[in-house]
Amino acid sequence: MSTSAPTPTDDPNNSAPSDFIREIVAEDLRSGKHTSVQTRFPPEPNGHLHIGHAKAICLGFGIAREFGGICNIRMDDTNPAKEETEYVESIIADVKWLIAGWADDRIGLKEAGTSPTRTGNDFLQSAITNPQATMATEPFYASDYFEPIYTYAVQLVQAGRAYVCDMTPEQTDEYRRIGKESPFRDRPVEENLDLLARMKAGEFPDGTRTLRAKIDMQSPNMWLRDPVLYRIRHVEHHHTGAAWCIYPMYDFAHCLSDYIEGITHSLCTLEFEVHRPLYDWLLESLALPRGLPRQIEFARLNIDYTVISKRKLLQLVNDGAVRGWDDPRMPTLSGLRRRGLTASAIRAFVSELGVTKYPSLTEFAVLEHAVRDEFNRHAQRRFAVLRPLKVVLTNYPADQVEKLSAVNNPEDPAAGSRKLPFSRELYIESADFMETPPPKYFRLKPGGEVRLKYAYIIRCEEVVKDEAGRVIELHCTADLNSKSGGATSNRKVKGTIHWVSAAHAVDAEVRLYDRLFNVPEPDADGDFKAHLNPNSLEVVQAKCEPSLADATPAERYQFERLAYFALDPDSQPGKLVFNRTITLKDTWAKEVKRG
């Protein structure tokens, strides 16, 4: 397949990204080392994907998209004790959501009926001939290749490059640490072959034997000190059932899975850089007829005010600190999606970060900036009052209702306008009134005036309180000659606030989400749960303008003067639930300055 010109990205300038990995890929194509590009995204199905995975997904699929190639989704399912079908399904849903409409024509999924033991480049050629066929059914699995991987293990033993070791896991770790050879290292080939076959047949208990590569126990690289290739585990596998009781280690399965699928460029995060010599050694030690894949490492995405270890995220779920993997406070893709972040905003965020070899901690504010930038341009404006305070306009006719014109998005003239009902009784935000305000307070106060956006200037004449002294209602008068857009609306006041007609308001539960942790590096002292933000969720009962009764999950809304919101899946007819996706401004920057 010939390479194609780079296609536009999420960057508003439509400039093609450039980084050291893309330069390597382009040079490999120019030199003729490869005639097509095949990448892969190989998550382990032991948890939900998180924001850190977004970088790897966008890089793998982005390169495939730009160079006219294919990116496979492959489950790295070599550890059956921790992997579940639930996670497989969530991974596929997350990847499809993140690349939908952007790179889904470059997705590699296994075709229905494809042999799980293919060893050639047939799938790649099929995908090139008919790309849409790759959208058919399910992802690839490393466990699809257990049979050929075992065959390659036998070849290593036959070549004298692997042996069966009887040491315990603890002994193996200690011998590798001090560089001491196993007493079983020089077992005869035939004995090793017999023991390996019996391991596969299930004759030995867990932990009693392993298959190890014979490399160099004095190597300064620990990963080359006779690493374990296979271990015994009598555990049911989510994909292969009870067919196997020995399972390949990640390093062994990784490079061979890449080779079997015809991967040209195997993109890994930086912690796998020290594994690369083993990746290359294993492939070069086998008589493989086709070109070998090349592993390239890049710095992973680390972001402040969160943790992205799947083990720790699972702990938060199991301990009840959050409501599940898709809790909108979680950094999981499912959680961010439920909170209201869009795939395009996340892709723009990842694109802005670029690809480097240098580890760094990215500020959460960078992600928020990408979200605000998109939502400011596209989100529909609506009125909602989160903490309602009733206002009665005593000089406005009790039976009168006006339909006022309101702009849907001032950044997008094509978004048009809508009609807002206006009546005698309104709701305003309780924070927009103060009985004893500080200097330069330009909202409503006793005897003070504000403009109701799109409507009239009003003056507070009377404050009504309950028996406890709490303000429960304001009696105001409206300047009926000050209607916005009218011929006599030239009078100016400094404050403008939003409102909702009480008679027309629709009720909604609004969930005000904030950052899950209250320090930038919650795991710095090893006790990440001690830094959970106790104010990460507040639930209020809001009054909304009537058009929000028709809110859709696909739309994003700016509740004017408040924040950006999205409809939550808990919503039902007559019971709206909105999630605060992000505030209008970075409130955390102010907190840092105060600190």
Side-chain angles (χ1 to χ4, degrees):
M1 180 178 183
S2 61
T3 60
S4 61
T7 51
T9 69
D10 286 304
D11 182 83
N13 297 319
N14 286 335
S15 57
S18 177
D19 53 66
F20 73 98
I21 295 181
R22 287 173 167 88
E23 290 172 1
I24 290 172
V25 174
E27 178 56 32
D28 285 348
L29 290 170
R30 280 194 297 266
S31 68
K33 181 178 180 180
H34 297 294
T35 58
S36 60
V37 173
Q38 180 91 351
T39 58
R40 87 288 175 270
F41 173 62
E44 182 180 2
N46 63 349
H48 285 234
L49 300 183
H50 52 65
I51 186 65
H53 291 109
K55 182 176 181 178
I57 295 169
C58 290
L59 182 60
F61 283 98
I63 286 177
R65 174 176 180 253
E66 293 153 29
F67 291 95
I70 296 290
C71 182
N72 285 1
I73 303 176
R74 180 175 71 235
M75 300 299 153
D76 167 32
D77 57 345
T78 60
N79 188 2
K82 295 184 177 181
E83 297 156 1
E84 299 178 18
T85 301
E86 169 201 341
Y87 298 137
V88 172
E89 294 171 350
S90 72
I91 288 169
I92 294 302
D94 287 345
V95 173
K96 286 187 173 181
W97 169 73
L98 186 59
I99 68 172
W102 173 67
D104 47 9
D105 58 331
R106 298 301 178 198
I107 192 172
L109 292 175
K110 188 174 67 177
E111 296 177 69
T114 303
S115 168
T117 57
R118 59 196 177 282
T119 57
N121 208 23
D122 295 338
F123 175 76
L124 175 60
Q125 297 305 321
S126 170
I128 291 171
T129 304
N130 182 14
Q132 293 307 311
T134 65
M135 293 294 293
T137 53
E138 56 179 315
F140 293 96
Y141 296 84
S143 56
D144 283 346
Y145 314 130
F146 279 175
E147 193 63 50
I149 289 173
Y150 177 79
T151 301
Y152 289 130
V154 170
Q155 291 178 18
L156 287 176
V157 173
Q158 291 171 333
R161 294 180 174 178
Y163 61 96
V164 174
C165 182
D166 295 359
M167 291 199 302
T168 65
E170 295 74 21
Q171 289 172 324
T172 301
D173 290 343
E174 177 63 16
Y175 274 44
R176 293 185 71 204
R177 186 184 66 80
I178 64 177
K180 183 178 179 180
E181 293 184 355
S182 165
F184 307 99
R185 197 172 194 265
D186 295 323
R187 263 181 168 148
V189 168
E190 291 305 318
E191 184 180 353
N192 283 319
L193 290 171
D194 175 66
L195 289 172
L196 179 59
R198 292 166 64 191
M199 287 170 59
K200 179 176 181 288
E203 291 189 22
F204 308 119
D206 289 2
T208 55
R209 285 190 165 91
T210 58
L211 180 71
R212 296 175 63 183
K214 186 187 290 188
I215 308 179
D216 181 5
M217 287 300 292
Q218 300 301 314
S219 173
N221 185 336
M222 289 291 294
W223 296 100
L224 295 180
R225 295 187 180 184
D226 290 14
V228 174
L229 305 182
Y230 267 98
R231 76 283 208 200
I232 302 171
R233 285 198 173 172
H234 292 270
V235 178
E236 191 92 358
H237 190 281
H238 75 96
H239 188 58
T240 61
W244 292 84
C245 62
I246 59 170
Y247 293 96
M249 300 296 289
Y250 170 82
D251 282 320
F252 192 43
H254 174 210
C255 62
L256 291 172
S257 297
D258 283 350
Y259 175 77
I260 290 168
E261 290 178 13
I263 302 302
T264 57
H265 300 86
S266 182
L267 311 180
C268 303
T269 46
L270 205 56
E271 62 265 32
F272 290 100
E273 186 173 31
V274 292
H275 297 238
R276 185 175 2 118
L278 176 57
Y279 182 100
D280 294 339
W281 184 91
L282 288 166
L283 292 174
E284 292 166 1
S285 295
L286 294 162
L288 300 176
R290 289 185 287 108
L292 302 181
R294 176 179 182 177
Q295 178 175 305
I296 310 171
E297 305 85 21
F298 61 93
R300 67 184 296 175
L301 171 57
N302 294 307
I303 193 165
D304 64 6
Y305 288 99
T306 192
V307 295
I308 56 174
S309 159
K310 283 191 283 188
R311 177 178 60 82
K312 292 170 183 174
L313 295 177
L314 178 60
Q315 190 174 343
L316 292 174
V317 173
N318 290 341
D319 292 350
V322 294
R323 297 177 179 177
W325 284 98
D326 69 342
D327 187 300
R329 293 166 291 181
M330 290 279 273
T332 55
L333 294 185
S334 57
L336 295 173
R337 179 167 67 248
R338 183 167 187 171
R339 184 161 175 162
L341 273 73
T342 58
S344 53
I346 293 177
R347 294 197 303 264
F349 162 64
V350 171
S351 178
E352 177 68 21
L353 294 180
V355 181
T356 70
K357 274 273 191 181
Y358 309 105
S360 62
L361 184 66
T362 298
E363 293 183 357
F364 200 90
V366 179
L367 172 59
E368 292 181 330
H369 173 76
V371 177
R372 289 190 187 100
D373 180 65
E374 177 181 307
F375 286 11
N376 182 54
R377 289 180 283 115
H378 300 297
Q380 296 283 302
R381 274 46 168 181
R382 295 292 184 267
F383 280 180
V385 175
L386 303 188
R387 297 170 180 87
L389 174 61
K390 195 168 189 179
V391 170
V392 179
L393 302 180
T394 56
N395 66 329
Y396 193 88
D399 57 352
Q400 181 171 315
V401 176
E402 294 184 71
K403 296 290 187 179
L404 306 180
S405 181
V407 174
N408 285 330
N409 188 327
E411 303 295 322
D412 180 12
S417 62
R418 66 195 188 281
K419 294 297 183 180
L420 283 175
F422 184 88
S423 61
R424 176 186 175 92
E425 295 186 356
L426 311 170
Y427 290 116
I428 67 169
E429 287 287 347
S430 60
D432 282 338
F433 170 80
M434 289 189 72
E435 195 169 12
T436 308
K440 297 184 179 181
Y441 180 82
F442 299 125
R443 286 170 281 174
L444 199 58
K445 58 187 177 182
E449 292 183 316
V450 295
R451 175 172 290 282
L452 300 178
K453 189 169 185 180
Y454 300 121
Y456 302 94
I457 294 172
I458 64 171
R459 178 185 178 88
C460 180
E461 307 288 1
E462 181 183 2
V463 179
V464 180
K465 300 181 181 180
D466 63 12
E467 293 180 356
R470 293 185 293 261
V471 177
I472 58 172
E473 189 171 291
L474 304 178
H475 291 173
C476 302
T477 54
D479 179 351
L480 300 179
N481 293 318
S482 65
K483 184 177 178 180
S484 294
T488 59
S489 65
N490 294 328
R491 192 160 72 87
K492 305 292 184 182
V493 292
K494 290 187 175 180
T496 300
I497 63 175
H498 66 284
W499 50 273
V500 172
S501 170
H504 303 88
V506 294
D507 294 329
E509 177 182 303
V510 177
R511 299 169 181 174
L512 303 175
Y513 289 103
D514 207 340
R515 298 183 187 181
L516 186 56
F517 295 95
N518 52 23
V519 296
E521 298 183 67
D523 203 27
D525 59 5
D527 188 11
F528 70 100
K529 290 199 297 181
H531 303 294
L532 284 167
N533 178 11
N535 302 312
S536 62
L537 172 61
E538 179 186 3
V539 180
V540 298
Q541 302 301 317
K543 299 291 185 179
C544 304
E545 68 169 79
S547 69
L548 282 171
D550 299 320
T552 64
E555 197 67 68
R556 297 296 174 268
Y557 302 95
Q558 183 194 105
F559 290 0
E560 293 206 41
R561 303 178 62 235
L562 299 174
Y564 293 103
F565 292 83
L567 198 67
D568 186 85
D570 286 345
S571 289
Q572 300 173 3
K575 184 182 182 300
L576 294 172
V577 180
F578 288 98
N579 296 328
R580 183 171 68 186
T581 305
I582 192 171
T583 55
L584 296 181
K585 296 180 180 179
D586 184 359
T587 57
W588 284 80
K590 297 179 182 179
E591 293 297 327
V592 170
K593 289 178 182 178
R594 291 192 191 107

